[in-house]
Amino acid sequence: MFLPPKRSSFIVHGTPTRTSAKTEFVKSDDDSVFEDLDKPVQEAGADPSAGQQEPAEASELTVADIAAELSELLGPGKVSIREADLEVHAADKWYAKSLPDLVVFAESTKDVSKTLGYASEHGIPVTTRGAGIGYVGGCVPVEGGIVLSLARMKRIIEINPADGVAVVEPGVITVELQKAARALGWDYPPDPASLKECSIGGNIATNAGGPRCLKYGVTRSYVLGLEVVLADGRVMRCGGRVHKNKTGFDLCGLFTGSEGMLGIVTEITLRLIPKPPARAMLAAVFPDFPAAAAAVQAILNRGHLPSALEITDSFTLAAARKRLGEQKLPPGEAHLIVEIDGRPAAVTSEIEEIRALLEELGALRADLAADEAACEEIWQMRREFSYSLRDTGLTKLNEDIVVPRSKLVELVEFARRMEEDTGIPVACFGHAGDGNIHTNLMVAGFEDPVTREKAEHALDQLFAWVLDHGGAITGEHGVGLAKKPWIRQALGEVSFDVHRSLKDALDPQGILNPGKFLD
C-alpha cells in the first residue's frame, strides 16, 4: 500500500459474512505521519494473485517529494498538504473518516490525466471527490494517497436546446444546471434531495436518483456522452450528443454508477427535455401506512403517472411535527405527496381527479398546491423530514433500500417488528412510486461498540429481508463502504467476479478508489 494502513484515522477491516456482517472502524494508534512529510513512502505493489500488475520499479518517495513533483507537473495552487485541506477531504456525510496524504485540485481534463499518469507510474492510490455529499463513504480515502478533487471543474460548457443537450464539467452543482436549463424553457429532471449541494460528477458516480424517478428516471437516463480519464491517464470518449446511439458497448452505462473505481469522468453530455409548463401537488394525510401505500397503487392503476409519489411513516411524521409545527402536518399516521406536471389544462383536470380518488380511499386531508410557489413549499417540507430525524439526537443510518412496489407495506411491517426486537426505532420515508424507501435506523449511543454491533446486526437483518423479497440494498446512494459487507450477497458470486474482471481490465494496479466494495 501507499502508506501503512494504520496511518488512517479510521480503517476498514475485511468483508464479513451475512451472519456477522459489519464494517469495523478502529481509531489509529498513530497519526503522526501526517506531520512528518519526510517519512519514506513505499509505492503500491499489487497482489499478483488478483491479476494485477506491479509497478515496473520500486522506490521510496516522501509525501513532500510527491507534492513537489505534482506541483511542478500541474502548476501552482493545485496541490495541498495543508492539515485543513486533508481534514476536509477525509470524509463525506457518512461517519467514517480517513485522512489522505495530499489533495490535488484539478482544473481541467489535462490535470486529471497528468495526475493519474503520475499515480499509475508510482502506484499511488487515488480517490476522486466531487462535493462530498455522499451517504456511504464512497469518497473516503481509506488507503490514503491522493484525493483528486473535481470541485473546481464547474463550468457549464454548453446548453443547446436545438440538440436537447447540456455539456458540463463534473463539479457543476446539480441545481445550477437545472436553473440554467429552465431559464431557457428546458429541464434536467434528476433531482436528488441534496441537489443544492451535490455535483453532477457525484450524481454520475452513484447513478443518483430522487423523487421524480418514477416518471423521469435516474441519472443514467440522461447521460448521452462522457469524457473519462482511465487509471493510466489515457483519455477516452464514449457516447456522444445524439439521443440514439448503438455503437459498440454501453460504456456510458458502465461508468455511470461505477463509484470512481473504473475511471474519472471529466466532461458529461446530458439529455435535456422541454420543461413542463405547469405542475400541481397534493399533500395527503392517511390514518395508517397501509392505506397510504394502497393509494399509491390505486393512483397508478387508474392510469395516472405522477412525476413524484412520496410516502412517509408515523415515526418520521412525529419528528417533523416537532420541527415544523402541528399545523404543517395534521394528525394521521402516514403522509403521501403526489406531484403532477404537464400542460396547464391537463394538470388542473388530473390533480382534481387524483384528489377525489384520495378522498375515496380514506385520506383524512388532501391539501392542494396549484402553483410553483405552493409546490415548492411542499417540497421544502419534504426536504425537512431528514433534518427532523437528525433533530432527535439519534444517529441516523440512512439506508436507501428498494423493494418491489407491492412489498411496501410488508417492508414497514418488517421494520416495526425489527424495531420491537432490537429496540432501535426505524423511520421509513421516500419514493413510493419506485419502491425506493429510505429506511433509517435511529440509533442512540452509536459510538458505543456494543450498540454499534447491535445496529449493524439489525442492518444485516434488513438487507437479508430486502434481498429475500426481490429488492436491492441501494437505489441511489451507492455501495461505498457502508454496504460493502453485503455486496457479494447482493450481486451473487458470478456477478461479483464479472465486476472484478472489469475492474482488473480498466485499473490493473487497483489504484482507483481502493478499499471499497470490490476489494
Side-chain angles (χ1 to χ4, degrees):
M1 300 301 173
F2 179 57
L3 283 174
K6 76 174 191 176
R7 41 79 47 217
S8 303
S9 296
F10 291 87
I11 60 174
V12 180
H13 295 283
T15 303
T17 62
R18 166 177 163 179
T19 55
S20 63
K22 63 180 179 178
T23 304
E24 298 182 72
F25 295 92
V26 182
K27 185 108 175 111
S28 172
D29 295 323
D30 179 14
D31 288 335
S32 62
V33 66
F34 294 109
E35 300 171 4
D36 183 7
L37 296 180
D38 292 323
K39 181 179 178 66
V41 176
Q42 181 68 39
E43 296 175 2
D47 179 6
S49 65
Q52 297 177 340
Q53 298 174 0
E54 193 172 350
E57 296 181 0
S59 62
E60 289 189 346
L61 291 171
T62 67
V63 173
D65 290 337
I66 295 169
E69 291 179 6
L70 281 171
S71 293
E72 184 177 354
L73 192 66
L74 303 175
K78 297 179 183 179
V79 180
S80 176
I81 52 177
R82 293 176 58 246
E83 184 177 347
D85 288 332
L86 301 182
E87 284 285 346
V88 166
H89 293 82
D92 58 11
K93 296 293 185 179
W94 202 47
Y95 62 85
K97 175 183 176 181
S98 179
L99 290 166
D101 296 295
L102 66 160
V103 181
V104 170
F105 297 96
E107 297 179 5
S108 67
T109 300
K110 286 184 178 180
D111 287 346
V112 175
S113 177
K114 289 178 180 180
T115 301
L116 286 187
Y118 181 90
S120 177
E121 179 183 353
H122 297 287
I124 302 172
V126 178
T127 302
T128 311
R129 182 185 176 93
I133 306 300
Y135 285 101
V136 294
C139 64
V140 175
V142 294
E143 294 190 10
I146 298 168
V147 163
L148 180 54
S149 171
L150 304 181
R152 294 182 184 177
M153 297 179 66
K154 56 185 180 180
R155 291 186 305 148
I156 297 177
I157 298 168
E158 177 187 4
I159 294 181
N160 189 320
D163 288 345
V165 302
V167 182
V168 302
E169 291 182 329
V172 171
I173 301 302
T174 305
V175 75
E176 297 303 323
L177 172 59
Q178 287 187 344
K179 288 178 181 178
R182 290 172 181 175
L184 299 176
W186 286 71
D187 196 14
Y188 177 67
D191 62 337
S194 58
L195 66 107
K196 294 181 180 180
E197 303 171 279
C198 65
S199 65
I200 295 293
N203 295 171
I204 296 291
T206 60
N207 194 19
R212 301 171 76 191
C213 294
L214 172 63
K215 182 174 182 178
Y216 291 109
V218 295
T219 297
R220 174 65 188 99
S221 304
Y222 296 87
V223 178
L224 298 178
L226 296 174
E227 178 183 74
V228 182
V229 182
L230 301 177
D232 59 6
R234 290 180 298 161
V235 180
M236 66 166 284
R237 286 187 173 269
C238 53
R241 61 188 292 124
V242 295
H243 288 240
K244 295 175 72 175
N245 186 346
K246 179 55 196 82
T247 309
F249 296 144
D250 181 13
L251 297 182
C252 289
L254 178 65
F255 287 103
T256 303
S258 62
E259 302 190 30
M261 292 189 291
L262 301 181
I264 298 179
V265 172
T266 52
E267 185 182 285
I268 306 111
T269 302
L270 296 165
R271 179 169 70 97
L272 302 179
I273 66 170
K275 183 181 183 300
R279 65 170 171 159
M281 296 180 69
L282 292 166
V285 179
F286 283 84
D288 54 48
F289 193 92
V296 170
Q297 194 59 46
I299 289 169
L300 299 171
N301 287 345
R302 292 287 182 93
H304 301 287
L305 183 58
S307 50
L309 268 173
E310 296 285 299
I311 199 167
T312 306
D313 75 348
S314 57
F315 185 98
T316 308
L317 288 177
R321 289 185 181 111
K322 288 182 180 179
R323 181 180 176 90
L324 303 174
E326 296 285 341
Q327 73 281 1
K328 287 283 189 179
L329 291 161
E333 294 299 303
H335 189 264
L336 190 66
I337 294 173
V338 187
E339 182 185 73
I340 297 292
D341 62 10
R343 305 300 304 173
V347 168
T348 299
S349 172
E350 188 172 14
I351 203 69
E352 287 301 329
E353 284 185 39
I354 295 176
R355 179 154 69 169
L357 174 59
L358 296 182
E359 292 172 351
E360 175 189 324
L361 294 169
L364 302 174
R365 178 169 165 176
D367 296 330
L368 173 66
D371 58 31
E372 282 287 321
C375 287
E376 277 306 309
E377 283 188 21
I378 291 179
W379 278 124
Q380 184 56 43
M381 176 185 67
R382 162 62 178 83
R383 295 183 188 111
E384 291 290 331
F385 286 171
S386 186
Y387 295 105
S388 300
L389 293 177
R390 292 175 189 170
D391 286 351
T392 64
L394 304 172
T395 296
K396 181 166 73 79
L397 303 183
N398 182 0
E399 306 304 334
D400 61 322
I401 55 94
V402 191
V403 294
R405 201 166 49 231
S406 63
K407 303 293 184 183
L408 289 179
V409 174
E410 290 181 54
L411 169 64
V412 174
E413 289 174 347
F414 171 78
R416 294 294 160 255
R417 292 195 303 271
M418 188 170 68
E419 183 175 291
E420 293 174 4
D421 293 342
T422 64
I424 299 172
V426 182
C428 299
F429 68 92
H431 320 316
D434 54 25
N436 183 194
I437 302 299
H438 294 267
T439 306
N440 304 272
L441 274 65
M442 307 297 297
V443 186
F446 186 68
E447 64 281 355
D448 175 61
V450 175
T451 301
R452 181 177 296 180
E453 184 171 1
K454 184 169 74 170
E456 289 168 340
H457 180 65
L459 287 179
D460 194 35
Q461 292 178 283
L462 173 64
F463 291 142
W465 187 93
V466 167
L467 294 173
D468 287 345
H469 288 76
I473 63 174
T474 175
E476 51 192 7
H477 294 167
V479 178
L481 291 172
K483 295 180 172 66
K484 178 178 176 178
W486 297 275
I487 189 63
R488 286 181 181 269
Q489 182 185 353
L491 290 176
E493 287 300 323
V494 174
S495 178
F496 185 82
D497 286 346
V498 171
H499 278 69
R500 286 298 305 269
S501 296
L502 290 168
K503 170 71 168 173
D504 291 344
L506 292 172
D507 181 17
Q509 293 185 62
I511 65 170
L512 293 180
N513 204 4
K516 301 310 191 300
F517 70 84
L518 290 181
D519 292 344

